[in-house]
Amino acid sequence: MLKGEMSLSLVEFLEMLYAKYNDKEKAREDPVYFLHSFDDIRAREIIGIVAASLAFGRVSQIIKSIEKVVAIMEDNPRDFLLKVPVDYLMAKLKGFKHRWVKGSDIVSLLYACKILIARYDSLESLYEHCKAGDSDPAVGFAVALRNASPEDISVLIPDPWKNSPCKRLRLFLKWMVRKDNVDPGGWTVETPANLVVPLDVHMWKFGKELGWIKRASPDAKAAIELTQAFRLFRPDDPLRYDFALSHLGMEAKDYRKVISAVKKLSKTYDCEGKN
């Protein structure tokens, strides 16, 4: 894959990585794959918020944990969520554990979704409402979920006012807004151009090694720094390379070669994003 990469421009090299990883079969190894099972966007957004909220830890355990929650919501997650009482959800998720997340945390998140869907009709409509009042609608979206929950759900939806990068929420928004072979998309109230990088450990390491992140810690401002760097290459879609680079970091194979190549190619890239 890397042979002859120095004959490419930086954008061409990143596009080569994108082409390799923009594959639905690759998505099978990722929590995003659960969203591909739902054509109904109102079902997909519920599955998406659950899958993204549990997207930390070992991938195999993440998949098992998401499967347990998805299995109880049957074929129509939206109708299921609006109809079933909290006691039923508590019973179904009794004993659930994903690292430090308990079944009651998932129930609280689903209850918050239920309240907000009843109020706004969908999570997409909630996000649209947040766009009207927030410079960063993801912040308003997170606050709305936290406020609607009967219990503290910081283990799933961090407090954005504490400078959290809100990695899992940003991941959810990426899934819902972008559309390619990996990200299923479906929301129309936002454009990929306005998304912020879901700053996981792999993207943090990537950004720091390349000097694209100046911050000392992986906080909200660091996520914005990395997003701004990617906007030089794709202002219309700064998260285009997120899946490929994150999975390169997970796999470790070729990671050092990719870092070396990007560093060399970056030297020919000026501040206006031109080779």
Side-chain angles (χ1 to χ4, degrees), residues 2-272:
L2 295 171
K3 185 178 180 180
E5 76 273 4
M6 295 318 298
S7 65
L8 302 171
S9 71
L10 178 54
V11 173
E12 287 171 334
F13 181 72
L14 291 171
E15 284 295 319
M16 182 179 68
L17 293 177
Y18 173 77
K20 179 182 178 181
Y21 282 86
N22 183 35
D23 182 348
K24 195 171 182 179
E25 288 304 306
K26 286 285 186 183
R28 286 182 180 274
E29 307 163 12
D30 190 275
V32 71
Y33 195 72
F34 286 92
L35 282 70
H36 287 270
S37 298
F38 295 88
D39 292 330
D40 179 0
I41 190 59
R42 299 303 163 228
R44 190 184 298 161
E45 64 184 16
I46 295 169
I47 299 302
I49 196 70
V50 170
S53 296
L54 291 172
F56 67 103
R58 289 186 296 110
V59 173
S60 59
Q61 186 55 56
I62 293 170
I63 300 301
K64 289 178 182 178
S65 296
I66 297 170
E67 282 177 343
K68 290 176 183 177
V69 181
V70 171
I72 73 170
M73 289 195 282
E74 304 169 354
D75 296 331
N76 193 327
R78 186 180 190 278
D79 285 354
F80 172 86
L81 194 60
L82 292 176
K83 291 177 181 177
V84 301
V86 170
D87 290 348
Y88 180 86
L89 287 173
M90 288 295 290
K92 284 290 187 179
L93 288 167
K94 184 178 180 180
F96 175 92
K97 189 172 181 61
H98 177 75
R99 300 191 75 179
W100 48 82
V101 176
K102 306 183 297 296
S104 58
D105 298 316
I106 297 295
V107 172
S108 293
L109 174 63
L110 290 174
Y111 178 84
C113 290
K114 177 177 182 173
I115 294 299
L116 293 168
I117 289 170
R119 185 181 304 164
Y120 295 98
D121 190 54
S122 68
L123 295 181
E124 182 178 17
S125 294
L126 165 63
Y127 184 88
E128 185 175 30
H129 173 79
C130 294
K131 282 191 73 173
D134 297 276
S135 57
D136 183 354
V139 171
F141 192 86
V143 170
L145 284 169
R146 289 169 58 85
N147 288 346
S149 171
E151 303 290 341
D152 182 7
I153 53 172
S154 294
V155 293
L156 297 171
I157 308 292
D159 185 351
W161 298 120
K162 293 183 178 180
N163 208 22
S164 167
C166 294
K167 184 268 288 190
R168 286 170 281 164
L169 181 57
R170 302 289 187 188
L171 183 63
F172 165 71
L173 295 174
K174 180 173 87 82
W175 292 344
M176 300 309 302
V177 175
R178 292 193 72 256
K179 183 170 178 59
D180 56 16
N181 293 333
V182 172
D183 294 329
W187 277 12
T188 60
V189 298
E190 187 57 280
T191 64
N194 293 330
L195 297 175
V196 173
V197 169
L199 191 64
D200 64 11
V201 63
H202 306 290
M203 294 302 283
W204 161 253
K205 182 180 177 182
F206 181 83
K208 286 297 287 183
E209 287 206 53
L210 292 172
W212 295 356
I213 295 176
K214 307 300 182 185
R215 302 284 295 174
S217 60
D219 56 16
K221 292 180 180 178
I224 291 172
E225 281 184 343
L226 187 55
T227 304
Q228 289 172 337
F230 282 117
R231 282 199 178 112
L232 291 176
F233 320 130
R234 286 301 297 253
D236 62 320
D237 189 11
L239 274 55
R240 182 174 176 85
Y241 311 116
D242 176 80
F243 183 83
L245 294 171
S246 289
H247 278 255
L248 265 171
M250 293 177 202
E251 295 167 6
K253 181 183 177 182
D254 286 337
Y255 179 76
R256 296 308 323 167
K257 291 180 181 178
V258 167
I259 288 290
S260 176
V262 174
K263 281 182 177 179
K264 291 176 182 177
L265 291 168
S266 294
K267 292 178 181 178
T268 67
Y269 216 85
D270 68 23
C271 63
E272 295 181 351

